[in-house]
């Protein structure tokens, strides 16, 4: 029996919260293996074990420990690059790598809303990947940039996608309770967040609103026509380590019963499940029926952190229905999302 040789990959921003998740998830990946790591000047030149302040419960993978951290320059790096760079530098660095022929699969927000850059959730809008053809033509890049959404957008867009497909969406209200790990390391100072709720996360609400419309938009004549429903987001930081919880209300375009919504969520499957991509959850949406679920404490790791868990579905006196959604912000909302994007790209022949 032949064993498939794994594809070597690199990580830009490998020392950060999302970079560490990528290193950890890639340790036992079926198709990819980490061969190259990069971060800021302060980390470059050191072994990863010395440069990185490891914050995950799982131990640092042995293979990564001795890798020397490189500067973020496209010299000697593998073709496939994951990026979890601080957005202050991601714009230039990712562009330089794409220009030099690398496939950049990015977590950063810099290119998400560019019309020629796919903003992808493989279960929701895999067809948007085709935007890269126009991107390479227009920008004259040998490589490309593909992005995944903001960690708060993911749970919202995943839970809305089956509803949009089955019933159409008219209005969406979302209030988030977002984990501190969403702010990177060291994140929000203890004195600001302990015993507190912070009702402001810079630019987050705008990102969630625009990204959700792009993700659920239709690809027409080589461009995405954003979804025509209204989205209003209110984002709060709470003292939870991992896992963004969202209270969501929706108005639908057509009649649907509570049972219809549950059925739409439970039967939701897409290309990642059909192709059994390595990071794909078998059940992208899990519906909990208990009156007090989902909760980060119990539901965060459903499907290895790749599922969106929904519950508390009930009528909404203002819109039509309301429910709660939970997703893991550094797995489904970041590192796992990027991995699944790269797996979709490989399965479509973009990495051959
Ligand atoms: P983080 O913990 O602050 O890590 C930032 C990374 O960027 C580190 O590896 C850092 O390297 C590197 N970096 C900073 N300045 C640099 C420079 N001038 N040149 C080169 N590298 C530099 O942030 P994070 O939470 O992992 O987030 C990374 C990206 O993913 C951000 O764009 C964020 O918005 C996005 N994102 C985060 C989440 C989440 O839940 N945390 C979810 C979705 C998307 P050093 O260690 O050497 O400084």
């Amino acid at each position: 029996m032949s064993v498939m040789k794994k594809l070597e990959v690199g990580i830009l921003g490998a020392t950060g919260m999302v970079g560490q998740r990528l290193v950890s998830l890639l340790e036992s990946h079926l198709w990819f293996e980490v061969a190259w790591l990069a971060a800021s000047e302060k980390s470059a030149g050191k072994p990863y074990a010395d440069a990185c302040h490891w914050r995950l419960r799982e131990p640092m993978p042995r293979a990564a420990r001795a890798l020397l951290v490189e500067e973020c320059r496209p010299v000697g790096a593998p073709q496939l690059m994951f990026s979890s760079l601080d957005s202050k530098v991601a714009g230039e660095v990712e562009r330089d790598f794409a220009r030099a022929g690398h496939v950049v699969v990015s977590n950063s927000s810099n290119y998400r809303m560019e019309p020629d850059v796919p903003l992808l959730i493989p279960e929701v809008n895999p067809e948007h990947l085709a935007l890269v053809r126009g991107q390479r033509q227009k920008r004259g890049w040998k490589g490309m940039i593909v992005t995944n959404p903001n960690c708060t957008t993911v749970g919202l867009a995943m839970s809305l996608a089956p509803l949009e497909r089955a019933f159409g969406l008219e209005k969406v209200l979302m209030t988030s309770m977002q984990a501190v790990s969403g702010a990177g390391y060291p994140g929000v100072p203890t004195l600001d967040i302990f015993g507190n709720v912070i009702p402001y996360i810079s630019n987050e609400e705008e990102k969630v609103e625009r990204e959700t419309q792009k993700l659920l938009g239709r690809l027409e004549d080589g461009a995405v026509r954003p979804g025509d429903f209204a989205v209003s987001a209110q984002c709060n930081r709470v003292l939870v380590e991992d896992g963004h919880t969202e209270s969501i209300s929706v108005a639908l375009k057509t009649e649907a019963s509570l049972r219809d919504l549950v059925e739409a969520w439970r039967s939701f499957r897409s290309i990642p499940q059909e192709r059994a991509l390595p990071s794909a959850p078998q059940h992208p949406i899990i519906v909990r029926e208990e009156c007090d679920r989902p909760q980060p404490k119990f539901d965060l790791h459903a499907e290895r952190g790749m599922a969106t868990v929904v519950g508390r579905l009930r009528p909404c006196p203002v819109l039509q229905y309301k429910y709660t959604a939970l997703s893991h912000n550094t797995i489904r909302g970041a590192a796992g999302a990027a991995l699944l994007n790269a797996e979709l790209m490989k399965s479509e022949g973009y990495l051959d």
Side-chain angles (χ1 to χ4, degrees):
M1 196 174 76
S2 75
V3 179
M4 190 177 94
K5 189 173 167 353
K6 290 189 184 180
L7 187 67
E8 294 192 339
V9 305
I11 304 173
L12 298 162
T15 51
M17 289 304 298
V18 177
Q20 293 181 26
R21 274 277 175 225
L22 277 163
V23 169
S24 175
L25 291 176
L26 282 162
E27 182 182 18
S28 52
H29 197 275
L30 290 176
W31 297 354
F32 307 139
E33 68 185 351
V34 174
W36 198 91
L37 301 173
S40 76
E41 275 176 18
K42 91 171 158 42
S43 306
K46 297 179 188 165
Y48 186 65
D50 295 344
C52 177
H53 186 41
W54 188 256
R55 303 311 304 155
L56 302 185
R57 286 186 181 81
E58 306 79 42
M60 182 185 285
R62 188 179 285 273
R65 297 186 69 86
L67 282 180
L68 273 195
V69 177
E70 308 280 343
E71 282 182 32
C72 292
R73 283 190 287 120
V75 180
Q79 183 207 16
L80 175 58
M81 295 297 302
F82 292 97
S83 171
S84 51
L85 283 171
D86 190 311
S87 59
K88 289 193 199 83
V89 291
E92 275 183 39
V93 174
E94 292 178 2
R95 180 205 59 202
D96 291 348
F97 274 77
R99 203 180 258 163
H102 297 272
V103 172
V104 181
V105 180
S106 174
N107 279 284
S108 303
S109 58
N110 306 60
Y111 290 95
R112 285 182 197 145
M113 293 309 296
E114 294 281 314
D116 58 346
V117 175
L119 173 65
L120 276 188
I121 299 179
E123 283 93 343
V124 172
N125 61 339
E127 69 284 2
H128 289 199
L129 190 51
L131 287 175
V132 293
R133 288 188 213 125
Q135 180 192 123
R136 296 173 92 177
Q137 233 168 25
K138 180 180 142 198
R139 300 184 191 241
W141 289 347
K142 285 185 275 166
M144 61 187 90
I145 297 177
V146 168
T147 62
N148 54 260
N150 171 283
C151 45
T152 314
T153 309
V154 172
L156 178 65
M158 283 277 282
S159 65
L160 291 177
L163 309 187
E164 162 70 355
R165 277 187 202 173
F167 320 113
L169 286 172
E170 201 153 298
K171 291 178 189 161
V172 178
L173 300 178
M174 189 283 294
T175 302
S176 71
M177 290 146 275
Q178 299 183 213
V180 285
S181 62
Y185 190 82
V188 191
T190 318
L191 282 178
D192 288 349
I193 192 72
F194 195 74
N196 200 13
V197 172
I198 301 175
Y200 174 69
I201 302 172
S202 176
N203 294 322
E204 193 84 345
E205 293 167 354
E206 297 82 347
K207 282 184 200 165
V208 173
E209 291 168 4
R210 287 185 288 132
E211 290 177 16
T212 303
Q213 287 169 328
K214 181 170 178 181
L215 283 158
L216 298 185
R218 305 240 183 286
L219 189 67
E220 288 173 1
D221 303 325
V224 175
R225 187 160 61 83
D228 63 356
F229 49 90
V231 189
S232 172
Q234 299 196 64
C235 297
N236 304 284
R237 186 77 68 197
V238 298
L239 192 48
V240 166
E241 184 182 359
D242 290 313
H244 291 353
T245 306
E246 302 174 3
S247 296
I248 299 165
S249 290
V250 291
L252 305 171
K253 282 193 175 139
T254 55
E255 285 288 307
S257 66
L258 284 172
R259 193 188 291 236
D260 293 335
L261 269 71
V262 170
E263 174 54 24
W265 280 328
R266 288 212 162 120
S267 60
F268 184 57
R269 300 284 183 281
S270 189
I271 284 180
Q273 288 69 42
E274 287 158 19
R275 295 184 188 165
L277 299 181
S279 302
Q282 275 190 333
H283 305 280
I285 299 179
I286 293 173
V287 184
R288 303 288 321 197
E289 303 207 337
E290 303 89 329
C291 63
D292 60 354
R293 302 279 284 272
Q295 295 182 25
K297 184 165 177 173
F298 302 115
D299 300 305
L300 186 65
H301 297 289
E303 296 266 10
R304 296 161 291 125
M306 288 298 285
T308 295
V309 186
V310 300
R312 301 216 64 224
L313 178 65
R314 58 219 191 274
C316 168
V318 177
L319 295 187
Q320 196 174 352
Y321 289 112
K322 54 185 173 179
Y323 61 94
T324 305
L326 168 76
S327 63
H328 195 306
N329 54 297
T330 61
I331 300 183
R332 185 74 223 208
L339 277 179
L340 195 57
N341 280 354
E343 292 164 11
L344 175 70
M345 294 176 79
K346 181 155 173 51
S347 77
E348 298 264 323
Y350 282 90
L351 301 176
D352 297 339

